[in-house]
C-alpha cells in the first residue's frame, strides 16, 4: 500500500492521516539527495533521505487564519522529545534550510537563523483556510487500523 513518490518518499507508511516531516536540505545539487520543488514556487531544493522529526514529535497544532485572503497558516507545537530534537537540528544547521514536508510535498524550507528552543514552528499561509484546518487536524489524527480480512 505504500507507493513511492518520486525520490523515494513513501506516502502511506505514516500511521497518521497527514504525514509531516522535517528534513535537512540544501539548495545545491549533491549526489544522493532527493530533488524536490517547493510548493507554489519554482525553487528547487535537495532533501536528505531521513526525516529528523515527524508526527510523533508534535504535541499540538494551531490554525492561524488570515481573514484578508482566506488563507491559513499552521503553528506546530512540539512535544518534549520534539523540542529537544528540533533544538539540536536547528543548532547544527544555522544558515541552512530545513524542509517541511506535508503529504510528501515540500511546503516551505526556511533557512535556520537561530537555535529554536521553544518548539514552536510556524508554517506560512501557503494553504487555504480549509486546507490548513484539514492538515492541522490530520497531523495529530492517527489512521484507523486497516481491518485484515
Amino acid at each position: 500500500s505504500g507507493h513511492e513518490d518520486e525520490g523515494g518518499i513513501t506516502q502511506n507508511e505514516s500511521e497518521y492521516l497527514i504525514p509531516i516531516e522535517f528534513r535537512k536540505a540544501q539548495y545545491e545539487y549533491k549526489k544522493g539527495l532527493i530533488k524536490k520543488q517547493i510548493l507554489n514556487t519554482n525553487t528547487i531544493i535537495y532533501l536528505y533521505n531521513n526525516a529528523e522529526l515527524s508526527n510523533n514529535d508534535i504535541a499540538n497544532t494551531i490554525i492561524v487564519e488570515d481573514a484578508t485572503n482566506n488563507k491559513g497558516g499552521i503553528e506546530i507545537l512540539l512535544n518534549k522529545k520534539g523540542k529537544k530534537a528540533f533544538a539540536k537540528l536547528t543548532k547544527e544547521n544555522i544558515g541552512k534550510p530545513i524542509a517541511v514536508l506535508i503529504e510528501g510535498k515540500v511546503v516551505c524550507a526556511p533557512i535556520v537563523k537561530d537555535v529554536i528552543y521553544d518548539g514552536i514552528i510556524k508554517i506560512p499561509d501557503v494553504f487555504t483556510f480549509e486546507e490548513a484546518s484539514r492538515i492541522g487536524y490530520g497531523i495529530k489524527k492517527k489512521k484507523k487500523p486497516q481491518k485484515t480480512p
Side-chain angles (χ1 to χ4, degrees), residues 12-109:
N12 299 333
E13 278 177 358
S14 177
E15 53 180 328
Y16 289 87
L17 284 176
I18 308 258
I20 184 168
E21 294 181 341
F22 298 84
R23 294 189 186 211
K24 290 195 278 195
Q26 60 184 52
Y27 288 108
E28 305 75 41
Y29 168 79
K30 185 176 165 190
K31 197 169 160 48
L33 298 189
I34 301 162
K35 182 181 178 181
K36 282 283 195 179
Q37 192 167 346
I38 300 176
L39 195 68
N40 302 334
T41 73
N42 296 319
T43 309
I44 297 295
I45 193 158
Y46 298 90
L47 309 180
Y48 284 75
N49 285 298
N50 297 330
E52 303 289 329
L53 287 93
S54 64
N55 302 65
N56 295 329
D57 299 296
I58 296 171
N60 215 339
T61 59
I62 297 168
I63 309 306
V64 185
E65 187 173 11
D66 182 343
T68 55
N69 57 9
N70 188 36
K71 294 275 191 195
I74 303 168
E75 211 164 274
I76 290 173
L77 312 175
L78 297 174
N79 59 25
K80 199 172 169 186
K81 179 174 143 281
K83 273 184 195 175
K84 209 172 159 180
F86 200 65
K88 180 176 184 285
L89 180 65
T90 52
K91 187 178 183 180
E92 291 168 359
N93 289 279
I94 289 185
K96 298 177 190 154
I98 302 282
V100 181
L101 286 83
I102 293 177
E103 298 181 297
K105 296 180 183 73
V106 178
V107 295
C108 61

